[in-house]
Amino acid sequence: MADKDLNELFLDTLKDIYYAEKQILKALPKMAKAATSEKLQAAFTKHHDETEGQIERLEQIFELLGKPARGKKCDAIEGILDEGKEIMDEYAKTSALDAGLLAAAQAVEHYEMARYGTLKAWASKMDMPQAVKLLDQTLTEEKKTDETLSKIAETAVNYEAAA
Ligand SMILES: [Fe+2]
């Protein structure tokens, strides 16, 4: 009984992050276009490509479960991405735009890290080593992206906004 519940929760959360990744895939090119820092543009573009691979990994996990890959509307990511859009509008052509974009992108990464960390732990409990491996690969990419964004924030971008 308990195992069945965790299976359902796992599938539900998988659908949530699948939906989120697809929204992120659409948002990243817009964020890259809006960014003024070349480093930030490059980071967004790189992560856009990574996100395509992350979506494929999720599809592999759906396959492992014998379930169709389907997203489920995730209000959390909608809210985070809406905030990002607001920043792009309200801070367009200001020196603080990149700092705002970085903050929005890091909120996205932290949401993803939370989700993938949880899914990985559950997949391990459910004795699904292949899923653990796939989730770990993505989790590592998200963490690296977050670190890259932190570095960019610490150097060029936030300094320029403060100057
Ligand atoms: Fe992602």
Side-chain angles (χ1 to χ4, degrees):
M1 190 68 181
D3 284 349
K4 185 179 177 263
D5 289 345
L6 186 59
N7 277 317
E8 277 172 22
L9 190 57
F10 182 84
L11 181 62
D12 241 21
T13 309
L14 202 65
K15 287 178 182 173
D16 173 292
I17 194 71
Y18 188 62
Y19 176 90
E21 290 289 13
K22 291 204 160 179
Q23 298 304 113
I24 293 163
L25 190 70
K26 277 193 260 175
L28 279 166
K30 290 175 200 163
M31 291 167 82
K33 211 177 154 195
T36 53
S37 151
E38 274 177 30
K39 273 187 189 169
L40 188 52
Q41 280 176 1
F44 286 154
T45 303
K46 184 183 174 209
H47 197 52
H48 177 263
D49 294 345
E50 282 175 346
T51 300
E52 284 179 341
Q54 295 176 352
I55 289 171
E56 276 170 30
R57 282 190 202 115
L58 289 172
E59 286 165 353
Q60 286 179 51
I61 298 170
F62 278 110
E63 229 180 283
L64 286 171
L65 294 168
K67 302 280 183 193
R70 219 168 270 155
K72 182 180 172 187
K73 190 171 183 285
C74 166
D75 291 328
I77 201 70
E78 293 274 344
I80 293 170
L81 291 174
D82 277 349
E83 275 187 9
K85 267 182 232 156
E86 266 177 49
I87 288 170
M88 279 192 262
D89 289 344
E90 288 175 24
Y91 288 87
K93 288 173 191 141
T94 75
S95 60
L97 176 65
D98 282 355
L101 284 170
L102 268 160
Q106 285 198 281
V108 171
E109 289 313 310
H110 286 217
Y111 177 76
E112 291 186 287
M113 280 153 60
R115 280 288 181 253
Y116 282 112
T118 297
L119 282 167
K120 188 186 150 190
W122 288 345
S124 169
K125 277 206 165 195
M126 290 159 65
D127 202 19
M128 294 179 63
Q130 273 177 285
V132 171
K133 199 180 153 196
L134 290 163
L135 292 163
D136 186 61
Q137 284 172 348
T138 296
L139 184 58
T140 302
E141 279 177 1
E142 308 290 19
K143 282 182 184 166
K144 268 195 193 156
T145 302
D146 183 53
E147 278 166 25
T148 302
L149 294 173
S150 286
K151 262 185 220 152
I152 296 173
E154 277 161 23
T155 54
V157 173
N158 283 349
Y159 177 75
E160 277 165 29

